[in-house]
Amino acid sequence: MTLTLHKPTPADAPPTAPATRRGPARSGSVVLRVLTYCGLAALAVAVVYPLCWMALSGLKTNGEIFSDPWGLPAHPDWGTYADAWHQGVFGYLLNSALVTAASVLAVVLISAWAAYGLTRLAIPCSQPALLLVLGAMMLSPTVALVPLTQLLQALHIYDTYWALIVLYTAFKVPFTTFLIRAYLLGQPVEVEEAALIDGASRWQTFWRVVVPMARPILVSAALLQALFSWNEYAFALVFITDDHLKTLPVGLADMAGRLNSDWPMLFAGLTIAALPMIVIFLVAQRHFVRGLSEGFGK
């Protein structure tokens, strides 16, 4: 009698146990995601609600603000915003826009040129220059108010737009240079070298190659400078005395003193002052986040 060996086929193979799903891990990730969304939603409410409350308060009356501060206005009065506009907010807004635009342009250009020189050019004493830039970041602006007053008076730019533009630029160039330099260190230099080989000058390479590559960090630097210049109070209070040259922070403080207890008009003025920065950040938020993440991450 002969024995034959039967080769097992896949159909004859014993059934394998089904793969177990990672139930606890998956449920844990779902819970973590839900908690993350809830935290972000709470943060969004904490940021957006005060702005909405301020805007709605500008539509109320004084009685509604004190009797029902958290409620909606019974009869929204849009004329309050028009009154605040004509009470001086328009002029303050123009002054802030002029000072902010000029300081942003100056800071971004000077810092970009300085960062390009520190990262791409063989400059003598580049390391001491970098240490000097870092040391300037440690200087507190408020401790220099008295000598700055004497300096601006000697330069004959005290109580002018130039006083704020020069100071806003001088005190923010070190930080912005450090930020742009950190971003440029992570960018490849091969494209710039190819442009130089093709006959482009350093000036052309900077404007046509470096600036487009560094657009995210330049946008971030511009937004940070705009936010600082738009909300700065100490310099604008000390170095500007002409009512026609006052910027929004100082102008709104003066308007609050003139209006006494007209809180709806004051809230309307604050809302108008906050709107430009909100719109700018919403438009440029993608470049802002990318530039900061890549700049600080280096």
Side-chain angles (χ1 to χ4, degrees):
M1 182 174 62
T2 60
L3 298 175
T4 58
L5 297 176
H6 177 67
K7 185 178 180 181
T9 60
D12 299 331
T16 58
T20 58
R21 296 182 178 180
R22 298 180 178 178
R26 176 172 298 182
S27 62
S29 63
V30 171
V31 172
L32 180 60
R33 183 177 302 178
V34 171
L35 292 177
T36 302
Y37 288 155
C38 292
L40 293 176
L43 181 62
V45 170
V47 173
V48 174
Y49 181 75
L51 299 175
C52 295
W53 179 82
M54 181 175 64
L56 291 175
S57 296
L59 302 175
K60 297 180 179 180
T61 63
N62 269 331
E64 288 180 324
I65 289 178
F66 289 101
S67 63
D68 189 14
W70 312 113
L72 297 175
H75 303 285
D77 184 10
W78 293 99
T80 307
Y81 281 86
D83 294 339
W85 184 264
H86 294 296
Q87 280 288 335
V89 174
F90 176 69
Y92 303 146
L93 189 69
L94 288 181
N95 294 336
S96 291
L98 176 61
V99 172
T100 300
S103 64
V104 166
L105 182 62
V107 166
V108 172
L109 287 179
I110 295 174
S111 301
W113 289 334
Y116 179 74
L118 291 173
T119 55
R120 298 295 191 266
L121 304 179
I123 301 177
C125 302
S126 60
Q127 290 301 321
L130 179 60
L131 294 177
L132 182 63
V133 171
L134 295 177
M137 294 171 55
M138 309 301 174
L139 179 63
S140 176
T142 55
V143 301
L145 289 178
V146 174
L148 285 176
T149 302
Q150 298 174 349
L151 176 62
L152 295 178
Q153 290 175 346
L155 295 175
H156 303 289
I157 60 175
Y158 182 83
D159 201 15
T160 64
Y161 291 126
W162 286 109
L164 298 183
I165 294 172
V166 170
L167 293 179
Y168 292 170
T169 302
F171 280 98
K172 285 300 178 180
V173 161
F175 171 76
T176 310
T177 300
F178 177 76
L179 190 65
I180 299 176
R181 174 186 173 274
Y183 185 91
L184 292 180
L185 288 176
Q187 300 302 310
V189 298
E190 288 78 8
V191 180
E192 302 171 36
E193 294 175 350
L196 293 173
I197 293 175
D198 290 340
S201 62
R202 283 288 182 183
W203 183 261
Q204 294 172 331
T205 302
F206 175 78
W207 283 109
R208 299 184 180 180
V209 178
V210 176
V211 170
M213 290 173 56
R215 182 178 301 173
I217 195 62
L218 295 180
V219 172
S220 300
L223 288 177
L224 290 175
Q225 177 63 23
L227 183 63
F228 165 76
S229 301
W230 193 263
N231 296 321
E232 201 280 328
Y233 182 79
F235 284 168
L237 176 65
V238 175
F239 302 122
I240 298 294
T241 58
D242 190 347
D243 291 336
H244 299 288
L245 301 180
K246 290 182 179 179
T247 56
L248 271 171
V250 180
L252 290 176
D254 290 348
M255 192 173 73
R258 295 197 311 267
L259 297 176
N260 293 328
S261 59
D262 195 346
W263 294 104
M265 190 176 296
L266 181 59
F267 283 125
L270 292 173
T271 304
I272 295 174
L275 277 178
M277 287 295 104
I278 295 175
V279 173
I280 291 175
F281 266 88
L282 290 178
V283 172
Q285 61 178 336
R286 180 170 61 89
H287 292 291
F288 177 73
V289 174
R290 178 186 171 189
L292 285 186
S293 61
E294 296 184 8
F296 282 119
K298 299 298 186 293

